[in-house]
């Protein structure tokens, strides 16, 4: 990976190689951590973090769901991130804040373990490949069911929960696909291993609702708003597996992936087998919003004042 100079760890800036944890860290053994994935873009106004406070708000909510009280406020984490980007001299990067139960006690009761917080930022290219963004990716419906709200908390972005995504991802890669699509126990479509999913049919954009076992994606909220602003009909409702194969278009969204067309699922071509027209329009509009080229969505950008932090 593209290393940067510093990582922020528990209130201090440490050299990348010095950001370490003990092997008996609670979160390492039991997955007791929550995290975020955020992107910063090189815009005309400087490095700008996309919906930073919305991500930090989700981090706090994920923490609460696992009985963790973060020792830093969203504003403190925001300031730390701005300073980190400045110190690392980054223009566009991926940002990974993580809060986890640290070293102290072993055993399943985490309540006496400290809560460690770190933020890393580094340059990270196209998650599903540059070609994937252009030509679309090939996906496989996973044999692994998406985690159920009866066992875990699909709405939390918690470390341990990602074992589910990891199994699905490995299965899809070993079978020669780029990405996995997970269904729930009723066979309803949930999401990709790290992205929300949408089908387009007869001009309507359909995506599973927030009550499905999905992460409440921030890219999802943004793309749905952009779609409505552009005058498209959107529908949030349960989705049957068959709707994937008979869709005119399918695409995925996520912070790391951004907006990626899906051109084939389980060896069935989607539409013409090429990225669809509505997918293209939304991909371009979302890209404009991310990169600060869109006046309308300016308020989504948290611009890093490099001069302010350089003098801090
Ligand atoms: N579902 C899942 C399971 C998920 O992990 C993500 C983000 C999304 C949906 C989309 O959410 P949002 O980024 O808020 O639009 N996945 C993150 C982790 C990727 C990783 O490999 O790590 C991300 O995109 O940053």
């Amino acid at each position: 990976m593209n290393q940067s100079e510093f990582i922020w760890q528990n209130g201090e800036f440490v050299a990348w190689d010095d950001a370490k944890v003990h092997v008996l860290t609670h979160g390492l053994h039991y997955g007791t951590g929550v995290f975020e994935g955020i992107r910063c873009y090189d815009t005309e106004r400087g490095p700008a973090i996309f919906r930073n406070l919305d991500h930090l708000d989700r981090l706090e909510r994920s923490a609460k769901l696992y009985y963790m009280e973060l020792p830093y406020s969203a504003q403190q984490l925001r300031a730390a991130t701005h300073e980190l980007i400045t110190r690392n001299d980054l223009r566009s990067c991926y940002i990974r804040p993580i809060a986890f139960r640290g070293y102290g006690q072993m055993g399943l009761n985490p309540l006496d373990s400290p809560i460690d917080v770190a933020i890393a930022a580094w340059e990270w290219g196209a998650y599903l490949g540059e070609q994937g963004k252009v030509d679309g990716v090939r996906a496989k419906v996973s044999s692994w069911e998406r985690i159920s709200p009866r066992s875990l908390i699909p709405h939390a972005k918690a470390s341990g929960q990602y074992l589910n995504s990891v199994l699905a991802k490995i299965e899809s890669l070993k079978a020669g696909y780029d990405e996995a699509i997970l269904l729930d126990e009723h066979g309803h479509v949930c999401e990709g291993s790290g992205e929300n999913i949408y089908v387009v049919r007869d001009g309507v954009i359909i995506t599973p609702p927030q009550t499905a076992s999905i992460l409440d994606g921030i890219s999802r909220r943004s793309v749905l708003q952009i779609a409505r602003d552009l005058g498209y009909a959107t529908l949030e409702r349960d989705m049957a597996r068959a709707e994937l194969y008979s869709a005119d278009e399918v695409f995925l969204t996520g912070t790391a992936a951004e907006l990626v067309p899906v051109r084939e699922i389980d060896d069935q071509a989607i539409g013409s087998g090429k990225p669809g027209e509505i997918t293209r329009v939304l991909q371009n509009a979302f890209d404009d919003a991310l990169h600060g080229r869109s006046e309308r969505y300016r308020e989504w950008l948290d611009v890093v004042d490099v001069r302010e932090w350089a003098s801090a």
Side-chain angles (χ1 to χ4, degrees):
M1 74 195 288
N2 290 311
Q3 295 193 0
S4 331
E5 202 173 346
F6 299 105
I7 287 181
W8 182 91
Q9 195 174 21
N10 296 322
E12 281 168 44
F13 292 92
V14 298
W16 180 279
D17 289 334
D18 295 335
K20 296 200 167 106
V21 293
H22 194 275
V23 291
L24 294 181
T25 296
H26 199 276
L28 182 61
H29 292 248
Y30 308 116
T32 44
V34 296
F35 66 98
E36 270 305 318
I38 313 174
R39 272 191 190 272
C40 174
Y41 294 89
D42 188 7
T43 75
E44 243 173 32
R45 294 187 295 158
I49 307 170
F50 189 70
R51 304 193 73 163
N52 196 14
L53 283 173
D54 291 319
H55 281 281
L56 293 173
D57 180 58
R58 189 171 66 187
L59 183 73
E60 277 182 336
R61 279 184 289 123
S62 298
K64 175 158 191 269
L65 289 165
Y66 280 98
Y67 301 88
M68 295 166 70
E69 199 182 322
L70 298 185
Y72 301 94
S73 68
Q75 282 303 338
Q76 284 174 312
L77 296 176
R78 172 176 180 260
T81 305
H82 282 216
E83 190 172 349
L84 182 70
I85 288 168
T86 307
R87 284 187 184 233
N88 282 332
D89 207 13
L90 289 163
R91 302 291 301 180
S92 76
C93 59
Y94 184 82
I95 305 159
R96 169 56 54 83
I98 181 162
F100 55 96
R101 292 286 181 177
Y103 170 77
Q105 295 280 321
M106 276 289 126
L108 289 176
N109 173 12
L111 300 175
D112 295 326
S113 298
I115 292 170
D116 285 3
V117 185
I119 308 171
W122 69 92
E123 281 173 23
W124 199 4
Y127 189 64
L128 296 175
E130 279 302 336
Q131 214 54 45
K133 294 189 80 171
V134 180
D135 298 331
V137 296
R138 297 175 59 246
K140 176 186 181 351
V141 171
S142 185
S143 70
W144 296 104
E145 201 172 284
R146 171 71 177 152
I147 50 167
S148 151
R150 290 178 303 197
S151 303
L152 283 165
I153 314 175
H155 284 75
K157 200 166 168 65
S159 305
Q161 299 188 168
Y162 275 82
L163 284 173
N164 180 235
S165 289
V166 164
L167 282 173
K169 184 77 185 186
I170 291 174
E171 180 187 60
S172 68
L173 293 177
K174 285 193 178 291
Y177 298 86
D178 306 303
E179 188 50 289
I181 298 169
L182 291 94
L183 312 181
D184 70 9
E185 69 269 32
H186 306 296
H188 290 147
V189 176
C190 294
E191 57 185 354
S193 72
E195 310 88 9
N196 290 113
I197 191 165
Y198 313 74
V199 310
V200 182
R201 185 76 202 266
D202 298 330
V204 181
I205 299 155
I206 308 162
T207 195
Q210 275 201 48
T211 46
S213 293
I214 62 168
L215 186 70
D216 173 15
I218 287 161
S219 319
R220 177 182 178 281
R221 284 185 226 162
S222 311
V223 167
L224 285 175
Q225 184 171 334
I226 291 171
R228 288 175 194 131
D229 290 347
L230 287 170
Y232 291 114
T234 63
L235 215 48
E236 295 172 58
R237 63 149 173 80
D238 287 337
M239 189 189 288
R241 177 173 184 168
E243 291 183 85
L244 295 173
Y245 309 124
S246 44
D248 299 325
E249 309 180 22
V250 176
F251 62 89
L252 304 168
T253 68
T255 298
E258 298 171 331
L259 196 156
V260 176
V262 178
R263 67 178 156 93
E264 201 180 297
I265 300 173
D266 295 341
D267 306 290
Q268 300 257 39
I270 304 303
S272 64
K274 294 198 176 86
E277 192 190 317
I278 293 176
T279 301
R280 275 280 172 258
V281 170
L282 292 175
Q283 190 182 40
N284 289 331
F286 186 45
D287 224 47
D288 285 344
L290 294 174
H291 290 88
R293 292 188 297 259
S294 169
E295 195 59 53
R296 189 167 195 170
Y297 306 113
R298 276 276 171 99
E299 87 255 25
W300 283 344
L301 296 178
D302 179 22
V303 178
V304 179
D305 189 339
V306 181
R307 278 161 313 171
E308 179 191 338
W309 291 106
S311 61

